[in-house]
mmCIF file of all heavy atoms in Angstrom:
data_model
loop_
_atom_site.group_PDB
_atom_site.id
_atom_site.type_symbol
_atom_site.label_atom_id
_atom_site.label_comp_id
_atom_site.label_asym_id
_atom_site.label_seq_id
_atom_site.Cartn_x
_atom_site.Cartn_y
_atom_site.Cartn_z
ATOM 1 N N ALA D 1 50.485 70.980 105.134
ATOM 2 C CA ALA D 1 49.645 70.504 106.235
ATOM 3 C C ALA D 1 49.102 71.669 107.060
ATOM 4 O O ALA D 1 47.935 71.652 107.475
ATOM 5 C CB ALA D 1 50.448 69.559 107.126
ATOM 6 N N VAL D 2 49.934 72.686 107.289
ATOM 7 C CA VAL D 2 49.473 73.867 108.019
ATOM 8 C C VAL D 2 48.349 74.558 107.252
ATOM 9 O O VAL D 2 47.325 74.952 107.834
ATOM 10 C CB VAL D 2 50.650 74.840 108.262
ATOM 11 C CG1 VAL D 2 50.134 76.169 108.808
ATOM 12 C CG2 VAL D 2 51.652 74.233 109.239
ATOM 13 N N ALA D 3 48.521 74.714 105.938
ATOM 14 C CA ALA D 3 47.481 75.352 105.110
ATOM 15 C C ALA D 3 46.178 74.567 105.189
ATOM 16 O O ALA D 3 45.088 75.145 105.304
ATOM 17 C CB ALA D 3 47.964 75.457 103.667
ATOM 18 N N GLN D 4 46.271 73.249 105.171
ATOM 19 C CA GLN D 4 45.061 72.438 105.197
ATOM 20 C C GLN D 4 44.431 72.396 106.586
ATOM 21 O O GLN D 4 43.218 72.216 106.705
ATOM 22 C CB GLN D 4 45.375 71.023 104.698
ATOM 23 C CG GLN D 4 45.731 70.994 103.223
ATOM 24 C CD GLN D 4 46.014 69.608 102.695
ATOM 25 O OE1 GLN D 4 45.932 68.621 103.415
ATOM 26 N NE2 GLN D 4 46.367 69.521 101.416
ATOM 27 N N ASP D 5 45.224 72.584 107.612
ATOM 28 C CA ASP D 5 44.645 72.702 108.959
ATOM 29 C C ASP D 5 43.763 73.942 109.066
ATOM 30 O O ASP D 5 42.775 73.948 109.803
ATOM 31 C CB ASP D 5 45.761 72.751 110.009
ATOM 32 C CG ASP D 5 46.360 71.378 110.290
ATOM 33 O OD1 ASP D 5 45.703 70.370 109.939
ATOM 34 O OD2 ASP D 5 47.476 71.316 110.843
ATOM 35 N N PHE D 6 44.131 74.988 108.333
ATOM 36 C CA PHE D 6 43.358 76.228 108.372
ATOM 37 C C PHE D 6 42.171 76.205 107.409
ATOM 38 O O PHE D 6 41.074 76.638 107.761
ATOM 39 C CB PHE D 6 44.257 77.428 108.032
ATOM 40 C CG PHE D 6 45.057 77.933 109.200
ATOM 41 C CD1 PHE D 6 46.371 77.521 109.397
ATOM 42 C CD2 PHE D 6 44.501 78.811 110.114
ATOM 43 C CE1 PHE D 6 47.109 77.980 110.477
ATOM 44 C CE2 PHE D 6 45.228 79.282 111.202
ATOM 45 C CZ PHE D 6 46.537 78.860 111.380
ATOM 46 N N TRP D 7 42.392 75.725 106.180
ATOM 47 C CA TRP D 7 41.375 75.864 105.135
ATOM 48 C C TRP D 7 40.850 74.540 104.595
ATOM 49 O O TRP D 7 40.102 74.521 103.629
ATOM 50 C CB TRP D 7 41.939 76.707 103.987
ATOM 51 C CG TRP D 7 42.243 78.103 104.422
ATOM 52 C CD1 TRP D 7 41.352 79.076 104.777
ATOM 53 C CD2 TRP D 7 43.539 78.705 104.572
ATOM 54 N NE1 TRP D 7 42.006 80.230 105.131
ATOM 55 C CE2 TRP D 7 43.357 80.035 105.017
ATOM 56 C CE3 TRP D 7 44.854 78.257 104.368
ATOM 57 C CZ2 TRP D 7 44.407 80.902 105.256
ATOM 58 C CZ3 TRP D 7 45.899 79.106 104.617
ATOM 59 C CH2 TRP D 7 45.680 80.417 105.061
ATOM 60 N N GLY D 8 41.241 73.439 105.195
ATOM 61 C CA GLY D 8 40.717 72.154 104.770
ATOM 62 C C GLY D 8 41.468 71.567 103.590
ATOM 63 O O GLY D 8 42.257 72.243 102.919
ATOM 64 N N GLU D 9 41.202 70.303 103.338
ATOM 65 C CA GLU D 9 41.877 69.597 102.248
ATOM 66 C C GLU D 9 41.114 69.802 100.939
ATOM 67 O O GLU D 9 39.923 69.500 100.845
ATOM 68 C CB GLU D 9 41.966 68.110 102.567
ATOM 69 C CG GLU D 9 42.748 67.314 101.537
ATOM 70 C CD GLU D 9 42.779 65.840 101.869
ATOM 71 O OE1 GLU D 9 41.730 65.170 101.741
ATOM 72 O OE2 GLU D 9 43.850 65.344 102.273
ATOM 73 N N SER D 10 41.795 70.294 99.927
ATOM 74 C CA SER D 10 41.195 70.515 98.614
ATOM 75 C C SER D 10 42.310 70.662 97.592
ATOM 76 O O SER D 10 43.494 70.770 97.949
ATOM 77 C CB SER D 10 40.323 71.771 98.615
ATOM 78 O OG SER D 10 41.127 72.931 98.806
ATOM 79 N N GLU D 11 41.929 70.671 96.319
ATOM 80 C CA GLU D 11 42.920 70.905 95.273
ATOM 81 C C GLU D 11 43.585 72.269 95.461
ATOM 82 O O GLU D 11 44.778 72.434 95.198
ATOM 83 C CB GLU D 11 42.261 70.835 93.889
ATOM 84 C CG GLU D 11 41.922 69.444 93.406
ATOM 85 C CD GLU D 11 40.595 68.940 93.969
ATOM 86 O OE1 GLU D 11 39.989 69.635 94.827
ATOM 87 O OE2 GLU D 11 40.149 67.856 93.540
ATOM 88 N N PHE D 12 42.804 73.234 95.937
ATOM 89 C CA PHE D 12 43.344 74.581 96.146
ATOM 90 C C PHE D 12 44.438 74.580 97.212
ATOM 91 O O PHE D 12 45.518 75.139 97.006
ATOM 92 C CB PHE D 12 42.223 75.540 96.542
ATOM 93 C CG PHE D 12 42.683 76.948 96.812
ATOM 94 C CD1 PHE D 12 42.880 77.841 95.769
ATOM 95 C CD2 PHE D 12 42.934 77.382 98.110
ATOM 96 C CE1 PHE D 12 43.313 79.145 96.008
ATOM 97 C CE2 PHE D 12 43.371 78.671 98.361
ATOM 98 C CZ PHE D 12 43.564 79.557 97.310
ATOM 99 N N THR D 13 44.177 73.957 98.358
ATOM 100 C CA THR D 13 45.163 73.981 99.438
ATOM 101 C C THR D 13 46.357 73.074 99.141
ATOM 102 O O THR D 13 47.444 73.301 99.673
ATOM 103 C CB THR D 13 44.527 73.576 100.777
ATOM 104 O OG1 THR D 13 43.850 72.322 100.631
ATOM 105 C CG2 THR D 13 43.542 74.631 101.251
ATOM 106 N N VAL D 14 46.159 72.055 98.302
ATOM 107 C CA VAL D 14 47.297 71.239 97.877
ATOM 108 C C VAL D 14 48.297 72.092 97.103
ATOM 109 O O VAL D 14 49.514 71.898 97.196
ATOM 110 C CB VAL D 14 46.806 70.049 97.017
ATOM 111 C CG1 VAL D 14 47.966 69.414 96.247
ATOM 112 C CG2 VAL D 14 46.132 69.007 97.893
ATOM 113 N N ARG D 15 47.790 73.084 96.365
ATOM 114 C CA ARG D 15 48.636 73.913 95.498
ATOM 115 C C ARG D 15 48.937 75.294 96.078
ATOM 116 O O ARG D 15 49.681 76.076 95.473
ATOM 117 C CB ARG D 15 47.945 74.088 94.144
ATOM 118 C CG ARG D 15 47.721 72.766 93.423
ATOM 119 C CD ARG D 15 46.688 72.856 92.344
ATOM 120 N NE ARG D 15 46.470 71.547 91.706
ATOM 121 C CZ ARG D 15 45.356 71.195 91.073
ATOM 122 N NH1 ARG D 15 44.344 72.054 90.996
ATOM 123 N NH2 ARG D 15 45.245 70.002 90.536
ATOM 124 N N LEU D 16 48.379 75.596 97.235
ATOM 125 C CA LEU D 16 48.484 76.953 97.783
ATOM 126 C C LEU D 16 49.924 77.359 98.058
ATOM 127 O O LEU D 16 50.329 78.481 97.746
ATOM 128 C CB LEU D 16 47.658 77.053 99.070
ATOM 129 C CG LEU D 16 47.697 78.402 99.798
ATOM 130 C CD1 LEU D 16 47.184 79.517 98.891
ATOM 131 C CD2 LEU D 16 46.884 78.334 101.091
ATOM 132 N N VAL D 17 50.721 76.477 98.635
ATOM 133 C CA VAL D 17 52.108 76.814 98.965
ATOM 134 C C VAL D 17 52.879 77.178 97.696
ATOM 135 O O VAL D 17 53.642 78.148 97.665
ATOM 136 C CB VAL D 17 52.796 75.643 99.702
ATOM 137 C CG1 VAL D 17 54.291 75.921 99.872
ATOM 138 C CG2 VAL D 17 52.151 75.413 101.058
ATOM 139 N N SER D 18 52.654 76.421 96.628
ATOM 140 C CA SER D 18 53.335 76.706 95.363
ATOM 141 C C SER D 18 52.908 78.057 94.803
ATOM 142 O O SER D 18 53.745 78.831 94.302
ATOM 143 C CB SER D 18 53.028 75.605 94.346
ATOM 144 O OG SER D 18 53.576 74.365 94.766
ATOM 145 N N ALA D 19 51.612 78.371 94.871
ATOM 146 C CA ALA D 19 51.118 79.650 94.350
ATOM 147 C C ALA D 19 51.700 80.824 95.130
ATOM 148 O O ALA D 19 52.123 81.828 94.540
ATOM 149 C CB ALA D 19 49.596 79.680 94.414
ATOM 150 N N LEU D 20 51.740 80.712 96.447
ATOM 151 C CA LEU D 20 52.325 81.782 97.265
ATOM 152 C C LEU D 20 53.813 81.932 96.975
ATOM 153 O O LEU D 20 54.340 83.054 96.943
ATOM 154 C CB LEU D 20 52.095 81.478 98.748
ATOM 155 C CG LEU D 20 50.646 81.562 99.229
ATOM 156 C CD1 LEU D 20 50.541 81.099 100.684
ATOM 157 C CD2 LEU D 20 50.096 82.974 99.086
ATOM 158 N N ALA D 21 54.494 80.811 96.759
ATOM 159 C CA ALA D 21 55.915 80.871 96.392
ATOM 160 C C ALA D 21 56.097 81.582 95.057
ATOM 161 O O ALA D 21 57.058 82.332 94.860
ATOM 162 C CB ALA D 21 56.500 79.462 96.323
ATOM 163 N N GLY D 22 55.147 81.369 94.126
ATOM 164 C CA GLY D 22 55.224 82.047 92.836
ATOM 165 C C GLY D 22 55.080 83.552 92.967
ATOM 166 O O GLY D 22 55.809 84.320 92.319
ATOM 167 N N ILE D 23 54.143 83.978 93.804
ATOM 168 C CA ILE D 23 53.961 85.416 94.021
ATOM 169 C C ILE D 23 55.207 86.017 94.668
ATOM 170 O O ILE D 23 55.701 87.070 94.261
ATOM 171 C CB ILE D 23 52.723 85.665 94.896
ATOM 172 C CG1 ILE D 23 51.458 85.260 94.132
ATOM 173 C CG2 ILE D 23 52.627 87.132 95.320
ATOM 174 C CD1 ILE D 23 50.202 85.281 94.975
ATOM 175 N N ALA D 24 55.731 85.337 95.688
ATOM 176 C CA ALA D 24 56.920 85.834 96.387
ATOM 177 C C ALA D 24 58.120 85.905 95.438
ATOM 178 O O ALA D 24 58.902 86.871 95.473
ATOM 179 C CB ALA D 24 57.235 84.938 97.580
ATOM 180 N N THR D 25 58.272 84.900 94.589
ATOM 181 C CA THR D 25 59.391 84.895 93.640
ATOM 182 C C THR D 25 59.259 86.031 92.641
ATOM 183 O O THR D 25 60.242 86.715 92.321
ATOM 184 C CB THR D 25 59.458 83.552 92.891
ATOM 185 O OG1 THR D 25 59.493 82.477 93.828
ATOM 186 C CG2 THR D 25 60.705 83.484 92.026
ATOM 187 N N THR D 26 58.053 86.251 92.140
ATOM 188 C CA THR D 26 57.820 87.335 91.185
ATOM 189 C C THR D 26 58.151 88.690 91.803
ATOM 190 O O THR D 26 58.808 89.535 91.175
ATOM 191 C CB THR D 26 56.360 87.326 90.714
ATOM 192 O OG1 THR D 26 56.056 86.056 90.114
ATOM 193 C CG2 THR D 26 56.102 88.428 89.701
ATOM 194 N N MET D 27 57.695 88.907 93.035
ATOM 195 C CA MET D 27 57.977 90.176 93.712
ATOM 196 C C MET D 27 59.477 90.360 93.919
ATOM 197 O O MET D 27 60.018 91.457 93.727
ATOM 198 C CB MET D 27 57.248 90.204 95.057
ATOM 199 C CG MET D 27 55.739 90.070 94.967
ATOM 200 S SD MET D 27 54.936 91.510 94.243
ATOM 201 C CE MET D 27 55.001 92.637 95.635
ATOM 202 N N LEU D 28 60.156 89.277 94.289
ATOM 203 C CA LEU D 28 61.593 89.354 94.508
ATOM 204 C C LEU D 28 62.330 89.662 93.209
ATOM 205 O O LEU D 28 63.250 90.489 93.186
ATOM 206 C CB LEU D 28 62.102 88.039 95.111
ATOM 207 C CG LEU D 28 63.601 87.937 95.365
ATOM 208 C CD1 LEU D 28 64.082 89.055 96.295
ATOM 209 C CD2 LEU D 28 63.945 86.572 95.956
ATOM 210 N N VAL D 29 61.933 89.016 92.118
ATOM 211 C CA VAL D 29 62.553 89.279 90.817
ATOM 212 C C VAL D 29 62.369 90.747 90.423
ATOM 213 O O VAL D 29 63.299 91.388 89.924
ATOM 214 C CB VAL D 29 61.958 88.338 89.750
ATOM 215 C CG1 VAL D 29 62.342 88.795 88.349
ATOM 216 C CG2 VAL D 29 62.437 86.911 89.984
ATOM 217 N N ALA D 30 61.175 91.283 90.650
ATOM 218 C CA ALA D 30 60.902 92.677 90.303
ATOM 219 C C ALA D 30 61.765 93.630 91.131
ATOM 220 O O ALA D 30 62.368 94.577 90.593
ATOM 221 C CB ALA D 30 59.427 92.985 90.503
ATOM 222 N N VAL D 31 61.816 93.409 92.431
ATOM 223 C CA VAL D 31 62.626 94.268 93.306
ATOM 224 C C VAL D 31 64.106 94.152 92.963
ATOM 225 O O VAL D 31 64.844 95.156 92.943
ATOM 226 C CB VAL D 31 62.372 93.911 94.785
ATOM 227 C CG1 VAL D 31 63.359 94.635 95.691
ATOM 228 C CG2 VAL D 31 60.942 94.255 95.182
ATOM 229 N N TRP D 32 64.549 92.944 92.673
ATOM 230 C CA TRP D 32 65.944 92.724 92.293
ATOM 231 C C TRP D 32 66.266 93.495 91.014
ATOM 232 O O TRP D 32 67.318 94.147 90.914
ATOM 233 C CB TRP D 32 66.189 91.236 92.094
ATOM 234 C CG TRP D 32 67.633 90.834 92.026
ATOM 235 C CD1 TRP D 32 68.712 91.656 91.855
ATOM 236 C CD2 TRP D 32 68.152 89.506 92.135
ATOM 237 N NE1 TRP D 32 69.876 90.919 91.847
ATOM 238 C CE2 TRP D 32 69.564 89.602 92.010
ATOM 239 C CE3 TRP D 32 67.570 88.257 92.299
ATOM 240 C CZ2 TRP D 32 70.383 88.480 92.058
ATOM 241 C CZ3 TRP D 32 68.391 87.143 92.348
ATOM 242 C CH2 TRP D 32 69.780 87.250 92.235
ATOM 243 N N ALA D 33 65.370 93.452 90.045
ATOM 244 C CA ALA D 33 65.580 94.186 88.797
ATOM 245 C C ALA D 33 65.699 95.687 89.059
ATOM 246 O O ALA D 33 66.526 96.375 88.438
ATOM 247 C CB ALA D 33 64.427 93.904 87.832
ATOM 248 N N TRP D 34 64.886 96.186 89.991
ATOM 249 C CA TRP D 34 64.958 97.618 90.310
ATOM 250 C C TRP D 34 66.262 97.965 91.027
ATOM 251 O O TRP D 34 66.907 98.978 90.710
ATOM 252 C CB TRP D 34 63.768 98.023 91.177
ATOM 253 C CG TRP D 34 63.765 99.485 91.495
ATOM 254 C CD1 TRP D 34 63.347 100.498 90.694
ATOM 255 C CD2 TRP D 34 64.241 100.096 92.706
ATOM 256 N NE1 TRP D 34 63.524 101.712 91.329
ATOM 257 C CE2 TRP D 34 64.072 101.499 92.559
ATOM 258 C CE3 TRP D 34 64.780 99.597 93.880
ATOM 259 C CZ2 TRP D 34 64.433 102.386 93.562
ATOM 260 C CZ3 TRP D 34 65.146 100.481 94.879
ATOM 261 C CH2 TRP D 34 64.967 101.865 94.704
ATOM 262 N N LEU D 35 66.660 97.145 91.989
ATOM 263 C CA LEU D 35 67.901 97.409 92.714
ATOM 264 C C LEU D 35 69.109 97.373 91.789
ATOM 265 O O LEU D 35 70.079 98.099 91.992
ATOM 266 C CB LEU D 35 68.072 96.386 93.839
ATOM 267 C CG LEU D 35 67.139 96.534 95.045
ATOM 268 C CD1 LEU D 35 67.293 95.348 95.988
ATOM 269 C CD2 LEU D 35 67.415 97.829 95.786
ATOM 270 N N TRP D 36 69.046 96.523 90.792
ATOM 271 C CA TRP D 36 70.164 96.380 89.870
ATOM 272 C C TRP D 36 70.243 97.557 88.892
ATOM 273 O O TRP D 36 71.319 98.057 88.580
ATOM 274 C CB TRP D 36 70.023 95.076 89.097
ATOM 275 C CG TRP D 36 71.299 94.588 88.466
ATOM 276 C CD1 TRP D 36 72.364 95.348 88.091
ATOM 277 C CD2 TRP D 36 71.631 93.240 88.149
ATOM 278 N NE1 TRP D 36 73.346 94.559 87.540
ATOM 279 C CE2 TRP D 36 72.923 93.253 87.571
ATOM 280 C CE3 TRP D 36 70.970 92.032 88.273
ATOM 281 C CZ2 TRP D 36 73.554 92.093 87.134
ATOM 282 C CZ3 TRP D 36 71.604 90.882 87.841
ATOM 283 C CH2 TRP D 36 72.880 90.910 87.280
ATOM 284 N N THR D 37 69.068 98.010 88.409
ATOM 285 C CA THR D 37 69.067 99.018 87.348
ATOM 286 C C THR D 37 68.561 100.389 87.787
ATOM 287 O O THR D 37 68.835 101.392 87.121
ATOM 288 C CB THR D 37 68.179 98.548 86.188
ATOM 289 O OG1 THR D 37 66.816 98.479 86.626
ATOM 290 C CG2 THR D 37 68.617 97.184 85.693
#
């Protein structure tokens, strides 16, 4: 709802939170791999 308040209702904003979560998860996995090895 916050995303759509800023950028309006669309297929993009319906999926925006999931896409940002994907980027954040990928970055975390990469950093975790570096910290481990």
Side-chain angles (χ1 to χ4, degrees):
V2 170
Q4 292 181 1
D5 283 342
F6 278 96
W7 296 291
E9 184 182 71
S10 66
E11 285 83 354
F12 179 82
T13 53
V14 164
R15 299 162 182 156
L16 178 60
V17 172
S18 295
L20 291 174
I23 293 172
T25 306
T26 302
M27 300 291 283
L28 178 58
V29 167
V31 171
W32 194 346
W34 182 80
L35 288 172
W36 199 334
T37 66

